Amino acid sequence: MIYGIGTDICDIRRIRASLEKHGERFAQKVLSDNELNTYRVRSERWPERGVRYVATRFSAKEAFSKAIGMGMRMPMTWRLCEVAKLPSGQPTIVLHGVLKEWFEAKGLTAHVSVSDESDYATSYVVVETHTA
């Protein structure tokens, strides 16, 4: 049964401006440790890939927070929600700490889709419940 659905569209130009203004501090606020490592590797090779990476993660986390119905308030935080990739390349939500405990206690599962094109990144998240 569907618990919640979230969607978000993010202007990549806004993310670029935040990174230019605040440097890596902005990325450190939004990204988990694993995501931060990926961001650094992508940025070294091609800075625009790093910007787009942050934008898609920002968008996916916003969509996830909407799907669980709480926005950005505890236990939902930027760094406790991670967007990783399965070996197939499919994006997946990985949770940490109190957010993971809350999510698992509710018997929830998340599905995420992310995309970016030109000036925008977009994400969709469907959260299912497996309890009656």
Side-chain angles (χ1 to χ4, degrees), residues 90-117:
Q90 177 185 354
T92 186
I93 299 285
V94 177
L95 303 175
H96 304 282
V98 294
L99 181 57
K100 179 179 180 179
E101 293 168 11
W102 175 86
F103 195 77
E104 289 176 351
K106 290 201 165 279
L108 301 175
T109 304
H111 308 278
V112 61
S113 177
V114 299
S115 185
D116 64 276
E117 182 65 39

Side-chain angles (χ1 to χ4, degrees), residues 12 56 59 113-117 120-124:
I12 295 171
T56 56
S59 176
S113 177
V114 299
S115 185
D116 64 276
E117 182 65 39
Y120 299 98
T122 186
S123 299
Y124 298 91

Side-chain angles (χ1 to χ4, degrees), residues 26-74:
F26 178 75
Q28 290 170 340
K29 176 183 175 185
V30 173
L31 303 176
S32 70
D33 290 339
N34 291 332
E35 291 169 324
L36 195 56
N37 289 335
T38 301
Y39 161 72
R40 289 174 178 150
V41 169
R42 289 185 178 195
S43 294
E44 280 180 25
R45 282 203 247 153
W46 184 32
E48 184 61 19
R49 280 192 76 209
V51 172
R52 289 178 174 281
Y53 182 80
V54 175
T56 56
R57 272 48 195 173
F58 185 96
S59 176
K61 293 174 188 198
E62 282 283 335
F64 178 79
S65 74
K66 293 170 186 175
I68 61 173
M70 60 177 48
M72 286 296 172
R73 62 182 170 83
M74 287 302 285

